Amino acid sequence: MGSYEVCRILGRGRCSTVYLARHAQLGEYRAIKRAPIMCGAYVNFLREARILHAVGTSGIPRVYGVEQDWQYGYLIEEYLEGVSLSTLISEQGHLSQAMTVRYGIGICRLINVLHTARPCAVLHLDLQPKNLIIEHDMVKLIDFDRACFSAEAGEHDSRCGTVGFAAPELYTGAPLDERTDIYAIGAVLYYMLTGRHPGKCAAFPEGRTGWQLCRVIFSCLRRNPKRRYPSVARLCEALEGILKGLDKQVSFPKTGL
């Protein structure tokens, strides 16, 4: 790949492969997504490049360039280190309420960057544990393969999602907007608390979760988008309020007096 030495495969998508590569001169690592030009989803590949170039913020991969040869296109991105939320949960089990809320706030802040992007908001549309990277308790967001600009959501040709985390409207043909991502945030919050996706009959283990967080999660998971939070900023405010309450819960040692 030109100036890059391929180290290993990071992942595979529907029509693409992502490699970890090292720049031969700079010694820096990059994630390089390769997609065949003749693939029907190549338009999504180019859209992903435009979206990442437009968004630019910490925790979302920076784009260093797009290259092309006679067979493939190459999207050269910042390599974000860490472990996926999916791997973290599978190895350690469900998270505490406090850690769930902290990670949830981090996710909301990243999605808010997308939803407030100018000149046009961006919808991620595939928020799920494998696409969330944790490093030193910081949340990062990857894989914008299904993302689109909100103005193009009605023309989106990839109305599918990850089972258990995708909002109902992704399957029904109903309009997509910011609340589609809010549903997925609720599903990820549920996953962090329980170790599983919500399914059709979501319920929390008794005594593990405070009523406030339960209410927030179920508000995100409403089948009718109009009954969900109107914006990810409002959802973030609700989580921040819960975190303040958790931080005040200080246990004092017994003195024996």
Side-chain angles (χ1 to χ4, degrees), residues 29-232:
Y29 289 94
R30 301 281 188 263
I32 299 181
K33 176 176 281 191
R34 187 188 73 175
I37 294 172
M38 299 306 294
C39 174
Y42 193 67
V43 63
N44 296 344
F45 174 86
L46 296 176
R47 180 172 55 220
E48 180 178 1
R50 289 192 294 124
I51 286 173
L52 290 175
H53 178 70
V55 171
T57 190
S58 177
I60 293 176
R62 181 184 309 171
V63 170
Y64 293 104
V66 178
E67 298 180 8
Q68 187 174 303
D69 58 26
W70 66 275
Q71 189 175 8
Y72 294 103
Y74 304 89
L75 175 56
I76 304 168
E77 306 176 18
E78 177 186 6
Y79 172 55
L80 298 182
E81 297 187 71
V83 61
S84 73
L85 182 61
S86 176
T87 299
L88 182 68
I89 297 296
S90 66
E91 292 180 351
Q92 300 184 13
H94 67 83
L95 305 181
S96 67
Q97 183 178 186
M99 190 58 69
T100 295
V101 172
R102 288 189 175 92
Y103 285 161
I105 291 170
I107 294 167
C108 285
R109 289 173 178 170
L110 289 174
I111 296 298
N112 191 54
V113 170
L114 303 183
H115 290 182
T116 57
R118 295 292 180 268
C120 188
V122 172
L123 309 180
H124 189 274
L125 301 182
D126 193 26
L127 190 66
Q128 49 126 329
K130 289 183 179 179
N131 293 340
L132 292 161
I133 303 296
I134 308 296
E135 184 187 25
H136 303 307
D137 287 339
M138 298 295 293
V139 183
K140 304 174 183 180
L141 179 61
I142 62 171
D143 198 346
F144 284 70
D145 182 55
R146 293 174 181 166
C148 70
F149 292 103
S150 60
E152 302 172 353
E155 308 164 7
H156 204 34
D157 59 352
S158 182
R159 295 178 72 94
C160 57
T162 301
V163 174
F165 299 93
E169 59 267 26
L170 276 166
Y171 302 106
T172 64
L176 308 179
D177 60 21
E178 287 82 354
R179 292 168 296 187
T180 303
D181 283 339
I182 288 174
Y183 181 98
I185 294 175
V188 170
L189 289 169
Y190 185 93
Y191 175 82
M192 287 191 283
L193 276 173
T194 66
R196 61 182 187 274
H197 64 72
K200 293 183 178 179
C201 300
F204 294 99
E206 188 174 349
R208 180 182 297 172
T209 310
W211 66 269
Q212 290 176 309
L213 183 54
C214 289
R215 185 175 64 179
V216 166
I217 292 174
F218 284 127
S219 293
C220 295
L221 295 175
R222 301 285 189 185
R223 290 191 63 83
N224 184 346
K226 293 181 180 179
R227 300 184 63 192
R228 299 174 201 155
Y229 285 94
S231 70
V232 74

